[in-house]
Amino acid sequence: MAEQRKNSEAGPARQSHSIPAASFPTHNSPRTWFLTSSLSPLGIRLIRLLLAHGDYVVACLPPSEIEHDDRSAEFRELINECKSNRKDREGWKDRIRGIRCDGRVMGQCGAAIAEAVQVFGRIDILLCSKFEAVVGTVEELGTSSATRNLVRDQFETIFFSQVNFIKAALPQFRAQHTGHIMILTSIGGHIGTPGMGVYTAATWALEGFCDSLAYEIAPFNIKVTIVQPNKEIQTLTNKIIFAPQLPFYDSEINPAPSMRDMLTNVLNVNPDTAIIEPSSAGDGGGDENNNEQIMYRYPRLPAATLDKLVMETVHALTAIGGHENPPARHIVGFEGSTAVKEKLKTVTEELEDFVEASLAVDIFESELKTEAREGRPVLFDPPARSGSVSGAGGAGPPT
């Protein structure tokens, strides 16, 4: 059991695009991480750091992905390393457990949690990391039964499967009277994106669920943290599903930003993932049997590019996971933080612009209404901490 921790030395002030050194919260013994999905490039790199640090890892392997040769290749390579005689991999094979598990099936989630506890004795950190992105406008996702099913499947993947793992883990965390649930989403939890409406909806659903959950389980000393990297980090390291495009949303005639074009440009760099334009786009006239234009791709990026893309998020997860007082939300990266701040600034300005419309529905005159009209900050004694509720991006639940 490795008990040596690799603490990074304090360095110079962080630059906007620098990647911090990996660090881990102080603890007295190695911790057990449970990853709900472990085959993404981000997941593989996180597992390497955790094993090198001396932690234990339960790696859930979605059947559809582990059976995909290209998708599972890097994980299989990692397992071969764990079994090797390399001195710097000593003990790794005893601290990792792979479990085939479909998160959409509650029974399988419960069995995976039980197996993890049986093998390693406990679970300290549950990392909900399953992700895929459906690309298509609202109208494009309603043209046939096949595209309508994409909406359901997106919620099954991002929302319901992760909720199943959380439900399965809660009894164990309560019994331990400690635990940390981490949700890896994206800044899509704050900002909508044209062409990714159903992805945004599923992300918001999961984050709203976890916001409420945090207050329910705080008395049991169970913490919840939502980690939000940029959208492209999750999108470019997991499956992308393209619904058939309608001509009205072609970027040549529609001025809305096109995530479809951006992602297609990345995929087209590699001949093996290139998107072939259909011979005729059609008008999506409701052909229930026409689903051949739904395309699925796992992006293939060079290893060096993947490192630059995901390591900042990986290091954020290691620094926060199991922290005694973790944040309720953590936005990874300067660009993401700036984008969210701009969104929140816009919301605040709109609230101020229409303050009279908001106050008009109040029945009773009060000092608070006067202060609101004058644009002064409203000062009042907050409710007891055990019953307080914070707004989006505000203070976290009671600890």
Side-chain angles (χ1 to χ4, degrees):
M1 180 182 298
E3 297 184 357
Q4 294 291 332
R5 205 169 45 252
K6 298 180 179 179
N7 293 322
S8 60
E9 298 181 359
R14 182 182 181 276
Q15 301 299 315
S16 60
H17 293 285
S18 65
I19 298 176
S23 63
F24 292 81
T26 301
H27 54 77
N28 297 323
S29 61
R31 293 173 176 170
T32 299
W33 291 65
F34 187 109
L35 278 62
T36 65
S37 184
S38 307
L39 298 178
S40 72
L42 189 154
I44 300 296
R45 284 154 179 78
L46 174 62
I47 291 172
R48 287 181 186 277
L49 276 181
L50 298 179
L51 292 175
H53 176 250
D55 286 344
Y56 297 84
V57 177
V58 178
C60 279
L61 312 171
S64 62
E65 294 189 45
I66 195 64
E67 293 166 4
H68 190 287
D69 290 341
D70 289 338
R71 178 65 166 175
S72 61
E74 196 171 11
F75 181 81
R76 297 181 190 280
E77 180 182 330
L78 171 62
I79 294 301
N80 288 334
E81 284 185 38
C82 293
K83 296 177 180 178
S84 71
N85 295 322
R86 289 176 51 177
K87 189 171 182 60
D88 60 348
R89 300 293 186 265
E90 186 176 354
W92 281 27
K93 65 181 177 62
D94 299 322
R95 288 186 280 108
I96 184 171
R97 179 79 165 202
I99 303 176
R100 285 174 63 103
C101 180
D102 187 341
R104 298 170 299 179
V105 181
M106 184 66 196
Q108 293 189 25
C109 295
I113 293 291
E115 182 175 343
V117 174
Q118 181 183 26
V119 173
F120 294 133
R122 61 186 292 114
I123 297 171
D124 298 292
I125 301 151
L126 172 69
L127 175 61
C128 296
S129 52
K130 177 63 177 172
F131 189 87
E132 65 184 34
V134 171
V135 179
T137 64
V138 171
E139 193 172 0
E140 288 166 348
L141 291 173
T143 58
S144 69
S145 61
T147 57
R148 289 192 290 272
N149 285 340
L150 293 180
V151 177
R152 181 201 62 198
D153 293 343
Q154 182 80 109
F155 271 83
E156 288 284 356
T157 299
I158 292 181
F159 180 75
F160 288 109
S161 69
Q162 303 312 287
V163 168
N164 285 343
F165 277 113
I166 292 170
K167 289 179 179 178
L170 285 179
Q172 176 63 30
F173 283 152
R174 280 194 296 99
Q176 297 172 178
H177 200 70
T178 185
H180 190 183
I181 299 172
M182 300 183 74
I183 317 296
L184 182 60
T185 60
S186 77
I187 61 171
H190 277 287
I191 304 170
T193 302
M196 298 185 74
V198 66
Y199 146 80
T200 303
T203 302
W204 287 23
L206 182 60
E207 292 199 4
F209 173 89
C210 291
D211 275 348
S212 297
L213 172 71
Y215 294 98
E216 296 172 357
I217 61 179
F220 305 112
N221 193 35
I222 306 172
K223 313 295 172 53
V224 178
T225 297
I226 295 170
V227 178
Q228 299 175 316
N230 282 331
K231 289 188 186 74
E232 64 267 21
I233 291 175
Q234 288 280 57
T235 305
L236 292 177
T237 56
N238 291 281
K239 183 194 286 186
I240 306 174
I241 304 166
F242 294 90
Q245 186 173 25
L246 294 176
F248 338 112
Y249 296 100
D250 189 288
S251 57
E252 294 183 2
I253 60 175
N254 192 312
S258 176
M259 279 299 294
R260 183 187 294 270
D261 285 355
M262 297 176 195
L263 295 174
T264 298
N265 289 338
V266 173
L267 293 171
N268 286 349
V269 171
N270 189 323
D272 293 333
T273 60
I275 298 293
I276 302 174
E277 293 294 333
S279 56
S280 60
D283 61 2
D287 181 355
E288 297 289 319
N289 299 315
N290 182 20
N291 66 347
E292 69 271 15
Q293 294 178 15
I294 295 177
M295 290 178 283
Y296 306 80
R297 294 289 188 277
Y298 284 107
R300 293 187 189 178
L301 304 179
T305 301
L306 284 172
D307 287 342
K308 293 179 180 178
L309 185 67
V310 306
M311 286 310 295
E312 190 173 36
T313 302
V314 169
H315 290 164
L317 293 170
T318 62
I320 296 171
H323 198 284
E324 184 178 349
N325 187 29
R329 264 183 176 78
H330 177 74
I331 302 170
V332 182
F334 176 78
E335 292 83 358
S337 298
T338 300
V340 172
K341 285 179 181 178
E342 287 298 317
K343 169 63 181 295
L344 296 177
K345 178 182 176 182
T346 299
V347 172
T348 301
E349 290 173 348
E350 289 179 345
L351 287 173
E352 293 173 352
D353 289 343
F354 289 89
V355 67
E356 283 296 338
S358 298
L359 297 175
V361 301
D362 290 345
I363 299 175
F364 302 105
E365 291 290 335
S366 68
E367 183 179 348
L368 295 181
K369 286 184 71 170
T370 302
E371 292 179 346
R373 283 197 174 97
E374 294 175 357
R376 290 185 284 142
V378 178
L379 303 177
F380 60 94
D381 293 329
R385 191 163 170 78
S386 61
S388 62
V389 177
S390 64
T399 56

